[in-house]
Amino acid sequence: MNFLIKILYLISKIPLKILYIFSDIIFFLNYYIVGYRKKVITQNLKNSFPEKSDEEIAEIRKKFYLNFSDYLAETIKSFSISETETRVRIQYINQHLFHEAKAEGKNIILMAGHVFNWEWMNAFAPVTPQKHSHPVYRKVNSSFWEDQMKKVRSKFGNEPLEANEVILNIFRNKNDGDTIYLFVADQTPHVAHVNYGLEFLNQRTPAFIGYDKLATRMDLIFIYCDMKKVKRGFYQVNYHRIYPDGEKFVKNEVVRKFHHLLENTIKKNPDNYLWSHRKWKYQDSIKTYDGE
């Protein structure tokens, strides 16, 4: 395993413009030969955009494979990418929201979706005034990749937290404006925890709602991360504060608002979303559906 780690790190030192050559090779193999999860991707796109023609779906699918291949190359680059390079490659808009939270003395819940390249979102820590930033992650089956991705998410002063630990950490931690928690909030809940669902991209969608308990019980600031791929290797994150309709969030309000914002992001650039994951596989297990 140590040998594999060294190989990964050495590969990550290769300039991105060279890694993108490997990305092109991966794209060719995935798209033209292997057809990685082609049926899943195609069905997800057709269900999400019933108004689009087969030709439009095929075009989005092809661009998705290109972006997915770049995501793999950029994730490898994450092992050694410097803070200086991330500042060049990632533009942050509305950074004043972090300073407002600091002034208000309220901790922040950042909410992102599986929009490329969400892994690079972890580089936000050096540009914020908060002392602590906690990317929230889910354990994976491979202990090797678990350790490696944890190292990647620990860069730039981040302190990653496993999903099962984070809620308790937030309740115990002082709410003083000095801490940020980053959720990739469109995770698919385990079938045993599919309690709430809503319409998202024209489909009955099981929704992860762990952060909703925070919205209704604590005075925290919720911020949506609108990720945009400007061009190959360059991204823009536009932060939007999510406000309650009343004095405070009611049950599932922040869940609905997050999915509405994410849907708008996806519709603007549909090829940048992770269509290969089986987000809708448990839709028949939803116990409480929004609007019924």
Side-chain angles (χ1 to χ4, degrees):
M1 287 298 184
N2 287 334
F3 177 73
L4 182 56
I5 293 170
K6 289 178 181 178
I7 293 296
L8 277 172
Y9 185 77
L10 287 174
I11 294 173
S12 76
K13 299 289 285 185
I14 298 173
L16 261 175
K17 62 181 179 181
I18 305 299
L19 287 177
Y20 284 137
I21 295 174
F22 292 102
S23 172
D24 291 338
I25 295 170
I26 293 169
F27 161 72
F28 180 85
L29 293 173
N30 259 345
Y31 184 73
Y32 290 104
I33 299 175
V34 178
Y36 171 72
R37 291 194 174 182
K38 183 177 179 180
K39 289 184 179 179
V40 172
I41 295 164
T42 303
Q43 196 60 55
N44 282 344
L45 285 170
K46 284 186 173 181
N47 291 342
S48 298
F49 304 106
E51 77 283 0
K52 294 188 181 297
S53 67
D54 289 345
E55 291 76 16
E56 289 173 309
I57 294 295
E59 181 65 20
I60 295 171
R61 184 179 62 211
K62 185 176 184 179
K63 288 180 179 178
F64 160 78
Y65 276 107
L66 285 165
N67 289 325
F68 181 70
S69 300
D70 282 355
Y71 158 75
L72 295 176
E74 290 164 2
T75 300
I76 290 173
K77 186 62 181 177
S78 298
F79 285 92
S80 64
I81 195 169
S82 68
E83 180 183 329
T84 300
E85 186 169 1
T86 62
R87 297 239 181 157
V88 172
R89 295 188 174 278
I90 308 171
Q91 179 187 18
Y92 301 98
I93 299 176
N94 290 335
Q95 292 184 46
H96 69 277
L97 294 177
F98 297 100
H99 294 274
E100 286 181 5
K102 178 86 170 176
E104 292 178 31
K106 298 176 184 178
N107 291 339
I108 298 172
I109 305 295
L110 285 183
M111 305 176 68
H114 282 94
V115 177
F116 299 125
N117 184 342
W118 71 90
E119 289 291 352
W120 277 14
M121 237 179 259
N122 293 327
F124 69 89
V127 302
T128 63
Q130 281 71 24
K131 292 180 182 178
H132 306 285
S133 57
H134 300 291
V136 180
Y137 70 94
R138 273 186 173 183
K139 285 186 177 181
V140 295
N141 293 330
S142 168
S143 58
F144 171 76
W145 285 111
E146 169 85 12
D147 290 341
Q148 300 319 304
M149 293 312 297
K150 193 171 181 179
K151 287 178 183 177
V152 168
R153 291 162 183 164
S154 297
K155 290 171 67 73
F156 314 118
N158 285 314
E159 305 161 74
L161 286 173
E162 205 277 320
N164 290 330
E165 305 169 353
V166 66
I167 301 297
L168 186 59
N169 183 283
I170 293 172
F171 280 124
R172 287 179 174 176
N173 191 25
K174 187 177 180 182
N175 187 16
D176 57 2
D178 250 347
T179 305
I180 301 172
Y181 299 89
L182 171 59
F183 285 79
V184 181
D186 62 336
Q187 298 280 1
T188 302
H190 187 275
V191 63
H193 301 116
V194 177
N195 296 313
Y196 173 77
L198 73 176
E199 183 175 312
F200 174 66
L201 292 170
N202 295 302
Q203 299 171 76
R204 290 173 62 95
T205 305
F208 170 71
I209 58 173
Y211 54 87
D212 187 67
K213 298 175 184 177
L214 305 170
T216 55
R217 298 181 190 179
M218 296 183 69
D219 192 13
L220 301 168
I221 288 178
F222 287 77
I223 296 176
Y224 172 67
C225 306
D226 184 4
M227 193 82 171
K228 176 184 177 182
K229 187 173 185 176
V230 179
K231 61 180 180 178
R232 201 174 208 183
F234 293 87
Y235 294 88
Q236 182 185 91
V237 187
N238 197 340
Y239 296 110
H240 301 277
R241 184 165 175 176
I242 302 175
Y243 290 96
D245 290 335
E247 292 185 6
K248 57 184 294 187
F249 287 106
V250 297
K251 186 177 181 180
N252 296 323
E253 181 182 1
V254 73
V255 182
R256 290 192 296 271
K257 290 187 173 182
F258 162 72
H259 280 85
H260 176 71
L261 289 164
L262 178 59
E263 186 172 282
N264 287 340
T265 296
I266 294 168
K267 285 180 176 178
K268 285 185 289 186
N269 296 286
D271 49 281
N272 273 336
Y273 192 58
L274 188 64
W275 296 107
S276 57
H277 66 165
R278 295 183 172 92
K279 182 169 180 59
W280 292 278
K281 61 183 176 181
Y282 297 138
Q283 60 181 199
D284 292 335
S285 300
I286 295 171
K287 297 178 180 67
T288 302
Y289 185 68
D290 191 67
E292 290 185 348

